[in-house]
Amino acid sequence: MKDEIEKIKVESTEELKKIQDLKELETFKVKYLGKKGSLTTILRGMKDLSAEERPVIGSLVNQVRDLLENLISEKEKELQRKELERRLQTENIDVTEPGKRVKLGSIHPITQIINEVEDIFLGMGYEIADGPEVEKTIYNFDKLNTPADHPARDVQDTFYITDDIVLRSQTSPVQARVMENQKPPIKIICPGAVYRSDAVDSTHSPVFHQLEGLVVDKNISMADLKGTLEIFAKKCLGENTKIRFRPHHFPFTEPSAEADVSCFVCGGKGCRVCKGEGWIELLGCGMVHPNVLRNCNIDPDVYSGFAFGFGIERIAMAKFGIDDMRLLYENDARFLKQF
Ligand code: DAH
């Protein structure tokens, strides 16, 4: 048995010298030290030995096992070092190669306009307010002086979630929410998505964006409204922009008006963008109706206010010369990165 152990020792150390990679080393380990390995088999057979032989053989096997374990761990380190060297040589990075360009997106034209308009109004001391897109009908209509039987409700008949919850058809409900929670002076704008059951065409979409404005304080007059919107129009569309007001009707303002701006492409002479009119319809506005103030617990005998609201897409289309609204929603990067 001693000879057998000696033979294993000589053979295995020879074999180990020839090993080239970690996989071979693993096979080697199993062959000698594994459950069915040759040294293990000898250890198992020791029960058949005499009491005198047992400790001698036992210590011999243990010596060889320790030796092999040490040799294997050295070999392992050596192979790992070699593998690392090989990888460092073959996988080195050429730092002089030009880098791969990261593709950057661009800010969507609708977001660009919202950012720009926000900046203009923030500069005039406004705060940005927010409200839910899934809105109670009472805020979307009733508090805005548009009761259930009001004909103005028809044109904005939208997507009902339940009888008293709708996808908001305008950003105006945010006015009521702010007035209920905040005492005057109030000076807010609110940009956001709105929903209407409009069929899709080049100027309509069932989802689009509006920006609402509201000012409530003592002694607010139509002059404040006109001055504010004139500054806004010049900042947004160019210093030479002129603004005009036409009488109109909105349930939540009295008096109400629509405002047009002189065409910023032709300066008012008439062109393709303004369809020969010289003017472009910009927004709806007016003095906040006393009923609306009252509905929101603000005393109309003490306070007055003005409000306005406009479509973001319309401004984006006019400013960027986009003739089909659908382009704004198709998310074709080739189109969007132009702006
Ligand atoms: N909410 C109106 C609409 O969607 C726009 C509007 C008009 C908002 C007049 C206002 C306003 O705040 O005073 O057509």
Side-chain angles (χ1 to χ4, degrees):
M1 191 163 260
K2 265 188 188 165
D3 292 348
E4 207 180 319
I5 299 172
E6 191 57 32
K7 199 175 151 222
I8 291 178
K9 181 178 161 186
V10 174
E11 268 178 16
S12 62
T13 43
E14 274 309 305
E15 201 178 323
L16 189 64
K17 283 185 196 145
K18 295 187 199 125
I19 285 180
Q20 302 279 8
D21 63 39
L22 289 163
K23 213 174 146 195
E24 273 178 58
L25 186 64
E26 189 55 36
T27 317
F28 174 86
K29 217 160 139 182
V30 174
K31 181 173 169 190
Y32 290 98
L33 304 178
K35 266 191 203 153
K36 291 180 187 153
S38 36
L39 275 185
T40 322
T41 313
I42 289 183
L43 276 175
R44 282 222 186 92
M46 292 218 332
K47 60 180 183 311
D48 303 328
L49 296 177
S50 67
E52 299 86 58
E53 264 183 318
R54 213 177 282 158
V56 183
I57 299 295
S59 98
L60 204 57
V61 174
N62 282 339
Q63 271 175 31
V64 176
R65 197 186 52 198
D66 289 349
L67 174 76
L68 281 186
E69 275 174 355
N70 283 335
L71 289 177
I72 287 172
S73 110
E74 268 168 39
K75 187 77 179 182
E76 195 171 35
K77 281 185 200 135
E78 180 196 321
L79 290 174
Q80 280 169 344
R81 205 171 45 240
K82 276 193 182 154
E83 170 67 7
L84 182 64
E85 263 165 38
R86 186 193 63 79
R87 287 181 57 186
L88 285 175
Q89 296 222 332
T90 54
E91 295 177 12
N92 56 356
I93 297 167
D94 182 354
V95 290
T96 62
E97 282 259 316
K100 279 190 194 143
R101 215 171 259 283
V102 176
K103 273 193 196 158
L104 285 185
S106 55
I107 296 182
H108 193 282
I110 291 176
T111 311
Q112 281 187 48
I113 298 292
I114 291 177
N115 290 346
E116 200 176 304
V117 176
E118 280 182 354
D119 277 351
I120 295 171
F121 281 101
L122 286 173
M124 293 197 269
Y126 284 67
E127 283 173 48
I128 296 168
D130 203 4
E133 289 175 25
V134 181
E135 182 58 285
K136 292 182 177 155
T137 46
I138 192 167
Y139 285 104
N140 198 66
F141 294 123
D142 302 68
K143 283 183 189 277
L144 298 172
N145 205 29
T146 319
D149 57 358
H150 198 291
R153 230 154 133 147
D154 281 358
V155 281
Q156 290 196 11
D157 231 1
T158 58
F159 302 108
Y160 282 81
I161 308 290
T162 64
D163 280 351
D164 50 11
I165 297 178
V166 285
L167 296 185
R168 68 180 179 194
S169 62
Q170 48 186 356
T171 42
S172 307
V174 182
Q175 287 188 32
R177 286 185 172 272
V178 170
M179 281 189 279
E180 273 186 355
N181 287 313
Q182 210 175 307
K183 289 293 128 226
I186 292 169
K187 239 175 132 178
I188 56 113
I189 53 165
C190 165
V194 298
Y195 302 82
R196 294 193 192 173
S197 59
D198 285 340
V200 174
D201 65 22
S202 63
T203 52
H204 290 88
S205 159
V207 188
F208 61 103
H209 299 78
Q210 285 190 333
L211 191 134
E212 193 82 13
L214 172 71
V215 172
V216 183
D217 202 353
K218 286 176 180 156
N219 301 317
I220 297 293
S221 75
M222 194 91 182
D224 299 306
L225 168 63
K226 290 183 79 174
T228 302
L229 292 179
E230 192 168 328
I231 289 175
F232 161 65
K234 285 182 189 296
K235 290 224 160 128
C236 183
L237 302 169
E239 275 308 311
N240 296 324
T241 306
K242 285 190 271 302
I243 190 162
R244 74 175 184 191
F245 293 81
R246 286 178 286 105
H248 200 78
H249 170 265
F250 296 105
F252 33 87
T253 42
E254 178 59 33
S256 303
E258 273 191 341
D260 305 328
V261 283
S262 57
C263 178
F264 46 87
V265 174
C266 63
K269 286 193 228 52
C271 70
R272 200 175 58 88
V273 172
C274 60
K275 300 195 180 76
E277 292 283 323
W279 293 92
I280 298 172
E281 188 189 310
L282 184 68
L283 52 75
C285 60
M287 301 306 293
V288 182
H289 198 291
N291 286 349
V292 175
L293 293 174
R294 229 173 268 125
N295 290 342
C296 301
N297 307 320
I298 292 177
D299 184 350
D301 293 329
V302 181
Y303 294 104
S304 55
F306 67 77
F308 57 89
F310 55 82
I312 300 288
E313 277 80 349
R314 179 188 287 253
I315 297 193
M317 288 169 74
K319 244 187 124 156
F320 295 125
I322 299 168
D323 58 7
D324 192 325
M325 197 165 175
R326 286 167 287 203
L327 292 165
L328 288 170
Y329 306 119
E330 279 166 2
N331 286 338
D332 184 334
R334 290 167 303 177
F335 169 75
L336 293 174
K337 72 180 178 200
Q338 299 175 88
F339 306 104

